[in-house]
Amino acid sequence: MSEKPVNSPGRQSHYTIVIIGGGIVGAGLLRDAALHGVDALMIDKFDFSSQTSGASSKMLHGGIRYLETFEFDLVSESLHEKNLWLKLAPHLCYEHSFHLPIYKGSTRPPWMIKTALSLYDLLSSFENTPHRVLNSVDTLKALPHLRQARLQGAGVYYDAVVEDAKLTLEIIYDALEEPCAKALNYTELLDFEIHGDRYHLKLRDTLTQEHFELTTDNLLFATGPFTDHFLNPRTDLHWSPKLLPSKGSHLWLPKEKLPIEYPVVLTPNDGRVIFVIPQRGAVLVGTTEVTLEEGELFNLTPSESEVSYLLSNLKDFFPTLSLSVDDIISTFAGIRPLVRDGESTNRSKAARTHQCYWPRHNLGVILGGKYTTFRVMAQDLLRPVMKRLGRPYDENKTKQSLRRRSVITPFGPCPLGRAELQAIMENEHVRTLSDLLERRIGHPHPGLGIQEGSVQALLEAHRDLVTL
Ligand SMILES: Cc1cc2nc3c(=O)[nH]c(=O)nc-3n(C[C@H](O)[C@H](O)[C@H](O)COP(=O)(O)OP(=O)(O)OC[C@H]3O[C@@H](n4cnc5c(N)ncnc54)[C@H](O)[C@@H]3O)c2cc1C
């Protein structure tokens, strides 16, 4: 069912590559290395995709608002990646029309929206479904609950909705189809020693508290927003803080309370954007952009002020719907791994491009970027490793479809019977009940679609987990 400890008899104790971090970037690195036949291990301190990569706005997108900061290369790269994943993993993401309402007196007037949307289509090499602009009557037909006062119309453009945790998991499952790949969740890198060109890693199973060690020739950090926290104390690497961590929170609301059929992009007066995205029988609302509180790092939750910020903007844009805190189904929060731009602390203006660092020739770190661009991020860190190993690197290897599907796919019904639960427990690296409920089943409505009689099977799965 779950991974045996890595130091159990017969288990490999040396790897060509060890990747720290099992979010989307670590997963992308593992898959790329595995498809190139390099033996590689990826570890995560918690469950795979349980941190930032399971707490995103769940969009594969070019990032319409990065046009305002002139990040055209990033938008173009992201749009191409979005359109690639729509082809490679159509069961995990789908295209949706996003409505961007335009109001009289807004800081983003109609001409600006029209120009931005034309540019967006151009930067996708016209692979995007083309945008259109609606007048106010058609906008209200599509979104009848939207505030009418001063409404001029809406820009309609196309991005993708993705189940972020599931895509990360399936990238890992695809890597594990290659015998040279290995992945361990709940395995923390505590420390490492440098012995010439080799790294001696000290690891801990965070559930059993078992400590063990292994060695590697190449150590790659895909620890996203947690990187400075781990590397700052390493004086031997001369690491200086590189991140400008930015917390973002989301709410799930019931579709009956927020009845919209299309994703809407709200543009409050503070210059931010808030996405309101119907999916999986509920509506996802986010996000915020705030600094971290002292001590906040892993497993974050939204603050009261973030929740009320999102709710008050919803009330402003959908004044006829009576939404309150009591309607919230659940909430989640994550940290954007933004890279510092000199002394600037303006998080909303910080670039979303990624950066690779090489504190030593065989110790690489990748920061920044977006969920959408994980494949090219992984390529930029892996390419130099392959060169040093003297092995050919094929840029197109990762453009193949995923080979192993998870038992529960996100957007259809959730046929969760005893057989499905058993298959998940045996094949999907489940080690805690929250792994099972939040990421392997992963529906926002508790109980949604679960077959009658399966509650007993769930309880049995829970019993198996606690007696591990
Ligand atoms: C609110 C919000 C909304 C976003 N929305 C979008 C969006 O819609 N689309 C998009 O493209 N991007 C979005 N992003 C950005 C995107 O989510 C991130 O860029 C991406 O998920 C980062 O992935 P990662 O693998 O680098 O980090 P993570 O997913 O955080 O993975 C890093 C992992 O490292 C592990 N780790 C840390 N220290 C150790 C250690 N010592 N030992 C072992 N493991 C360790 C952690 O447990 C963690 O799982 C959003 C980000 C936020 C915060």
Side-chain angles (χ1 to χ4, degrees), residues 19-27 43-61 66 78 160 162 164 168 187-191 203 221-227 229-230 246-250 275 277 287-288 298 332-337 352 366-374 377:
I19 300 151
I20 314 300
I24 188 63
V25 180
I43 62 163
D44 198 287
K45 179 173 173 170
F46 299 107
D47 190 22
F48 307 127
S49 202
S50 63
Q51 302 300 312
T52 329
S53 300
S56 80
S57 301
K58 309 194 190 301
M59 291 181 295
L60 295 178
H61 64 151
Y66 308 133
S78 307
V162 65
D164 51 5
T168 304
T187 301
E188 179 181 14
L189 176 66
L190 294 173
D191 197 5
L203 308 174
F221 281 87
T223 38
F226 315 105
T227 307
H229 174 74
F230 189 85
S246 146
K247 183 182 173 192
S249 295
H250 289 86
F275 293 97
I277 309 177
T287 172
T288 56
F298 292 102
F332 62 88
I335 314 173
R336 296 175 190 84
R352 261 57 175 179
I366 186 151
L367 292 177
K370 296 164 41 162
Y371 192 105
T372 310
T373 53
F374 77 93
M377 290 175 71

Side-chain angles (χ1 to χ4, degrees), residues 320-333:
T320 55
L321 302 176
S322 55
L323 294 162
S324 82
V325 175
D326 296 337
D327 295 320
I328 298 171
I329 301 169
S330 62
T331 62
F332 62 88

